[in-house]
Amino acid sequence: MDPLNVGGMPLDALLEREWLITNGAGGYGCSTAVGLNTRKYHGLLVAAMTPPVRRMVLLSRVEETLHLNGWPHALACNEYPGTIHPEGHRLLKAFCAGPYPRWAYQGDGWTLEKSVQLVRGENTVVISYTLLGADCPAELEARPLLALRSMHDLMYQWNGRLAAENKTSRHHRVPPTLRTPEVFFAHDGAFNAAPACWYLNTIYRREEQRGYSGLEDLWNPGVVRWRLSPGQTVHFICSAEPIELDRTLATLDAQAIPRATARTIASLPDTTQDLLVASARAYACDAIDASQLSMRLLTGFPWASPSVRDALIAFPGVFLVTQNFAGAKALLQSLAAKLDHGLLPSGLPEDGADPVYRGADISLWFINALWQYLRYTGDEQTVSRLLDVATEIITEYRHGTGLGIATDADGLLKTHAPGSGTTWMDAKIGDWVVTPRAGRPVELNALWHNALRIVAELCERFGRTKQASELCELAAKTQASFNRKFWNPERGCCYDVVDDHGADPSVRPNQLLAISLPFPVLAIERHPALLEKVHRALLTPFGLRTLAPDDLVYHARYTGDVVSRDRAVHQGCVFPWLLGHWVTAYLRVLGRGATTRREALRFLQPCLEHVQGAGLGHLCELFDGDSPHRPGGTIGSAASVGEILRAYVEDVLDQGPPALPTPTKIPQSVPSDKAITTTS
């Protein structure tokens, strides 16, 4: 990724650029390009105390001062009421977010580089400083500022006893209290605990803009000092566990991404695919306790708890295109072990509580992911073991299960859970479901038909001929009913929801799944009309609007307090993950020739440019519905980058997996879902 030349950019513009790194266990580091935290979720070490959840901001930031020739040069940057102090951004000359964040500071006769890296699989951050050039040695001071709280909370000065204990002269421990966790820090300099104090009234401007409290106090345990010669690199490490400095640095050296050395920031020769793959890998999670639901895919940073729906939407791009087949298999097996009367969990609560079951579509996304896994891997043994899970989902959905899920006499799928949204458009304000879609949602029935066809194909593949025939009949019945009831001839597209009292004619992107999934439910002669309607009403440079702008309840801007944002999120906001389905549908309708694939690239280009530019290597959750389509939601979304990556590789580059090979003879007597474990 090319370095960002910050010299000519105003501070407010730089504060809109947010970097993100992850540790593969739910933890992360995140802040702005100048290092000024604008969110309570920003921090250099946000640790997952019960991976991948229970995340806590341990190290918020570090205030550094370089002393050279008797003059202090403040490198840090922070916001307090009515002022920015210090103003280290004035010395910042360049910033690069990839492969890990690096800053180049420069003054009269000196240049210093700073880098931040997380140790993979550990709640540990390493901050390195290199004096790249100076006419004499310098002294560097660093004051770590600790938050020691849940990422959703804020810290305020209190009278409890906080003090750093010396384990050695270079390794220190902050003991736990009833309010704060245990924290360790280490360095290769000299530490003085005498200046320990509270830094009061840090302001997080983005929280205030979002209608939340944005004022916090941070605790400084003391100051670390180094004597730096030109070319020398020094380190500060913070962790939730005891630290062995040499081992930690050696671990960083062994990681795929190299540790910062004494060199200037330089651009890396990334291709578009390389950039998307690097972004996607930030969401892949390393092995976690096998006794728990192992969310091998983290879905939204910095504040979103793991979402199974988003994980399964992102699954082909983040796991299969990147060839992380072991992780893909582990996620499927782990989810299968949590099947409850046909339902799969919708997510993991941030507090570490048991998984919740709130989505009617999630089990159907699982079946779609199972099909994609077979396409990419040819792993018939795993898929045959999971086939019982897929057939159980179909059986439970047919005859009725939780969330009011059942099929009607026409074979269509309906869902209704009072006071709750069961589709992906599930925003809720108090008791008000913002986008009520009880009944027969269009994408749920597209996924249902897709699932019936997939399970029928798998049953045929693995010798369950009778079951395959029954499912094919049900799929045909469902498809006929869908085309009879969901088509809106006046608008030339699908109704969004069909219920017992009529149909909702709102023009939404959910209908796109009726032609984009592996087994489309909409009659092929209607594909061009639907595509044209979606194109004219919903398509934007960054994805599809969730509602047509001419609708009376359309909301163009995702701004203001939580009520204003939730009112807009599915009533007009643009979601990039839908762009992947748009590209697939576009090529399905217009053909996969070189011209149409070039046009598909044109559709993806603004998102690709956002990842390369303002997104600093990531793609956000959503954008405003109207131009200039300001980014919003989580700054990093697995669903967004996963679908853009999949569409780019499979559709634009035309490098999807080959056709499925002739099936290998698999015994019909395969283990039931009860034998499935969470281990790969």
Side-chain angles (χ1 to χ4, degrees), residues 95-369:
F95 169 75
C96 188
Y100 48 83
R102 290 168 291 158
W103 296 259
Y105 297 91
Q106 193 171 70
D108 187 13
W110 62 270
T111 303
L112 182 136
E113 180 175 293
K114 170 185 174 180
S115 69
V116 174
Q117 296 183 77
L118 296 178
V119 178
R120 190 75 182 174
E122 298 182 16
N123 287 317
T124 301
V125 63
V126 178
I127 307 169
S128 303
Y129 304 92
T130 302
L131 187 61
L132 296 176
D135 55 10
C136 63
E139 182 179 90
L140 178 66
E141 292 181 350
R143 290 173 170 80
L145 297 177
L146 307 178
L148 306 175
R149 43 82 176 174
S150 165
M151 69 173 183
H152 294 304
D153 298 328
L154 289 168
M155 174 60 76
Y156 301 102
Q157 181 185 19
W158 56 292
N159 295 325
R161 178 173 175 77
L162 284 174
E165 301 176 348
N166 292 337
K167 294 176 68 67
T168 70
S169 62
R170 295 185 171 185
H171 185 201
H172 315 277
R173 171 179 178 261
V174 179
T177 70
L178 294 177
R179 298 179 57 174
T180 60
E182 182 179 46
V183 178
F184 298 84
F185 61 95
H187 51 85
D188 45 15
F191 176 67
N192 181 5
C197 63
W198 286 89
Y199 279 51
L200 306 181
N201 297 331
T202 292
I203 287 179
Y204 302 128
R205 61 168 63 183
R206 294 297 291 273
E207 300 306 321
E208 293 181 341
Q209 293 167 359
R210 285 158 45 90
Y212 300 118
S213 175
L215 198 67
E216 176 162 63
D217 302 331
L218 301 171
W219 183 67
N220 166 230
V223 59
V224 181
R225 293 186 174 90
W226 297 269
R227 184 73 170 174
L228 269 173
S229 299
Q232 183 181 355
T233 300
V234 295
H235 311 279
F236 176 85
I237 302 173
C238 186
S239 178
E241 303 291 339
I243 301 165
E244 295 180 24
L245 191 144
D246 291 340
R247 182 200 66 81
T248 300
L249 296 180
T251 300
L252 273 189
D253 282 332
Q255 288 181 181
I257 297 175
R259 180 166 54 85
T261 56
R263 54 180 170 77
T264 59
I265 294 177
S267 60
L268 298 174
D270 286 332
T271 66
T272 299
Q273 185 173 345
D274 291 337
L275 184 66
L276 291 172
V277 167
S279 179
R281 284 177 175 161
Y283 302 94
C285 193
D286 296 337
I288 299 173
D289 185 356
S291 66
Q292 302 178 5
L293 171 59
S294 180
M295 277 299 294
R296 300 299 181 104
L297 185 58
L298 299 165
T299 52
F301 288 99
W303 59 78
S305 58
S307 162
V308 176
R309 177 187 289 114
D310 284 2
L312 293 173
I313 290 172
F315 183 88
V318 172
F319 276 130
L320 302 180
V321 172
T322 62
Q323 300 187 16
N324 184 1
F325 300 143
K329 176 180 175 181
L331 177 62
L332 293 174
Q333 291 178 321
S334 175
L335 287 173
K338 293 296 182 181
L339 189 70
D340 184 7
H341 294 89
L343 296 179
L344 288 175
S346 53
L348 297 182
E350 184 61 37
D351 62 5
D354 291 336
V356 294
Y357 293 75
R358 295 175 182 161
D361 56 333
I362 294 166
S363 296
L364 306 180
W365 279 115
F366 172 86
I367 292 174
N368 187 69

Side-chain angles (χ1 to χ4, degrees), residues 34 41 119 187 200 209 234 248 320 391 452 455 587 609 626 628:
V34 295
Y41 302 100
V119 178
H187 51 85
L200 306 181
Q209 293 167 359
V234 295
T248 300
L320 302 180
T391 56
L452 290 171
V455 177
L587 295 183
E609 291 173 357
D626 284 357

